[in-house]
Amino acid sequence: MRAEHGGMFEVTPGMRRLCASVLGMQAIVVALVTPVAITINHVSPALAVTVGLGLAVLCVLIAGQLKRPYAYIAGSVLQILTIATGFLVPAMFFLGVIFAALWITAIFVARRVEGTTKR
């Protein structure tokens, strides 16, 4: 990554689009953790709603901030939190890792493709 403006990286339009797509899909999945956690895993409704819908809202809020480099750090933290929802719904360990891989891929692929087209 190229260092610009105090060590932060350059945000490209393709990176914003790909990462926003990942966060959009992720928002739907983490929101759907709520009913699964309540009905199948017998998690308290208050905890399930707070975690599931809270992470979904964070996905949407961070997706709206992707023009700024700090949003990519927040998105990376969100990936870790999504993996941690596996403690409520074990399948989320797997799905969280998939979303983290998509997040990392979106950043690097977009930068590589746009770096190639700039030349």
Side-chain angles (χ1 to χ4, degrees):
M1 289 192 242
R2 284 181 298 205
E4 292 186 6
H5 307 311
M8 293 301 246
F9 60 90
E10 178 184 3
V11 176
T12 64
M15 189 165 60
R16 280 197 318 260
R17 281 190 297 272
L18 283 173
C19 289
S21 297
V22 170
L23 290 176
M25 292 182 294
Q26 188 172 345
I28 294 167
V29 170
V30 295
L32 291 173
V33 163
T34 304
V36 173
I38 294 169
T39 56
I40 296 175
N41 294 11
H42 309 292
V43 174
S44 73
L47 178 61
V49 169
T50 302
V51 171
L53 298 184
L55 284 177
V57 168
L58 281 175
C59 286
V60 172
L61 292 176
I62 292 170
Q65 296 294 311
L66 288 175
K67 288 185 180 181
R68 297 168 179 84
Y70 69 81
Y72 294 87
I73 296 167
S76 298
V77 170
L78 186 61
Q79 301 312 312
I80 294 167
L81 294 174
T82 300
I83 293 169
T85 60
F87 291 109
L88 299 178
V89 176
M92 285 304 294
F93 284 125
F94 175 72
L95 291 173
V97 168
I98 288 179
F99 277 112
L102 288 171
W103 176 257
I104 292 166
T105 302
I107 291 171
F108 287 107
V109 167
R111 291 189 60 75
R112 173 168 275 174
V113 167
E114 288 181 343
T116 302
T117 58
K118 282 184 180 179
R119 295 180 204 182

